[in-house]
Amino acid sequence: MAHYAVLDGSNIVTGVLTGKDETEAHPEGYSSWEDYISQKIVNGAKVVRTSYNTQNGVHLLGGTPFRGNFGGIGYIYDESNDVFYEPQPFDDWVLNTTTWNWEAP
């Protein structure tokens, strides 16, 4: 089972869907499960796979971390770094680019 974050135009997660693993063959005519979900389920919204088991840049079950954090509703998807992180809680907090979490000054 895999999880897919649905993004708005500002790359903010608006929903999370459970779907097929990317190791399973995707439907003919689609390049990936992300593409299929985007076109068939969420009316063309951008969809990015996320890992329920990744938090703070660490895979909770000892596997390889995937995209920094689980992309929950309200999280930001940073396309250039290919990670999810929470919105900045306070203006003076700094994003730790190892854990992909905000740290107080």
Side-chain angles (χ1 to χ4, degrees), residues 4-8 14-18 30 33-48:
Y4 297 87
V6 180
L7 309 176
D8 69 9
T14 60
V16 179
L17 303 171
T18 303
Y30 297 92
W33 282 107
E34 291 170 338
D35 182 41
Y36 175 81
I37 292 168
S38 173
Q39 299 305 313
K40 295 296 273 186
I41 298 173
V42 295
N43 299 319
K46 185 173 183 174
V47 174
V48 178

Side-chain angles (χ1 to χ4, degrees), residues 71-86:
I73 293 175
Y75 274 56
I76 298 162
Y77 174 63
D78 178 338
E79 195 166 3
S80 62
N81 290 301
D82 195 27
V83 295
F84 291 97
Y85 54 83
E86 293 181 276

Side-chain angles (χ1 to χ4, degrees), residues 3-105:
H3 294 87
Y4 297 87
V6 180
L7 309 176
D8 69 9
S10 298
N11 282 347
I12 307 296
V13 178
T14 60
V16 179
L17 303 171
T18 303
K20 300 275 188 177
D21 282 324
E22 288 187 348
T23 57
E24 296 185 41
H26 48 78
E28 188 173 328
Y30 297 92
S31 61
S32 66
W33 282 107
E34 291 170 338
D35 182 41
Y36 175 81
I37 292 168
S38 173
Q39 299 305 313
K40 295 296 273 186
I41 298 173
V42 295
N43 299 319
K46 185 173 183 174
V47 174
V48 178
R49 187 168 170 229
T50 187
S51 172
Y52 185 77
N53 294 311
T54 299
Q55 294 177 12
N56 306 318
V58 175
H59 192 281
L60 300 177
L61 303 176
T64 302
F66 188 67
R67 296 193 166 133
N69 292 288
F70 174 72
I73 293 175
Y75 274 56
I76 298 162
Y77 174 63
D78 178 338
E79 195 166 3
S80 62
N81 290 301
D82 195 27
V83 295
F84 291 97
Y85 54 83
E86 293 181 276
Q88 187 174 13
F90 301 99
D91 290 341
D92 57 346
W93 285 36
V94 177
L95 185 62
N96 179 320
T97 57
T98 300
T99 65
W100 296 103
N101 284 302
W102 296 97
E103 296 179 349

